[in-house]
Amino acid sequence: MPERAALSDRISRRIRPEPGSSYGGSLCQVWIGPLSRKGYGVTNSDDHATTVQVHRVAYEAAKGPIPRGLVIDHLCKVPACVNPGHLEAVTNAENVRRGSNTKLTMADAVAIRDEFSLPNPRTKQAIADAYGVSRTAIRLLLAGETWVAE
């Protein structure tokens, strides 16, 4: 049986420039292989024992190991992009803040915490309604589980 190509070779054969999307003056390099449910490129590891996210492999090949505790943010907002110039290692909190579904800003978080330090703050539900988020989002913010200053 012929030996299977190394991971880096397998990845490089399945990347195509995406003319309709770019970041910082360079085109997205889009993985055209299998995708996860969230749209990230995936493939088997060299030993075929695990599945790897292709953008993480591309980042590490270009920039070195991903620092412990950090995740990779797609600055171009294209999950299948593997262009290292479009990838940045950030904390999960920063990645969430940058996300397209984020409704609150850090200024909102500070204002909400300030209100809860007052003697008679509005209810969590009233604040959630005012900011267009869930009561759970307010609870997590106040518990320090989200919107933590870095």
Side-chain angles (χ1 to χ4, degrees):
M1 180 185 293
E3 189 173 313
R4 192 158 177 191
L7 179 60
S8 59
D9 293 334
R10 287 186 283 130
I11 289 174
S12 65
R13 289 195 304 250
R14 291 185 140 186
I15 297 172
R16 301 290 182 269
E18 183 66 35
S21 59
S22 66
Y23 173 80
S26 65
L27 291 177
C28 288
Q29 299 294 318
V30 177
W31 171 253
I32 59 168
L35 300 174
S36 71
R37 286 179 293 200
K38 293 185 177 183
Y40 298 105
V42 293
T43 192
N44 291 324
S45 61
D46 273 334
D47 64 4
H48 308 288
T50 60
T51 299
V52 295
Q53 292 182 324
V54 179
H55 66 282
R56 293 176 63 86
V57 174
Y59 178 93
E60 288 185 330
K63 299 180 180 182
I66 299 167
R68 186 172 178 83
L70 299 186
V71 298
I72 301 301
D73 182 20
H74 286 80
L75 300 171
C76 58
K77 304 302 179 208
V78 178
C81 181
V82 298
N83 182 335
H86 297 192
L87 306 174
E88 181 179 20
V90 298
T91 64
N92 189 58
E94 180 62 23
N95 196 32
V96 169
R97 277 194 287 276
R98 291 176 177 181
S100 62
N101 293 329
T102 301
K103 294 181 182 178
L104 297 175
T105 65
M106 186 56 86
D108 294 335
V110 170
I112 292 166
R113 287 189 180 110
D114 286 350
E115 179 169 348
F116 265 83
S117 69
L118 298 173
N120 294 307
R122 290 178 286 172
T123 66
K124 290 177 188 157
Q125 187 62 60
I127 291 174
D129 292 344
Y131 284 91
V133 298
S134 68
R135 184 180 172 281
T136 300
I138 300 301
R139 181 183 59 76
L140 293 172
L141 183 154
L142 293 171
E145 294 182 38
T146 58
W147 292 100
V148 178
E150 297 182 48

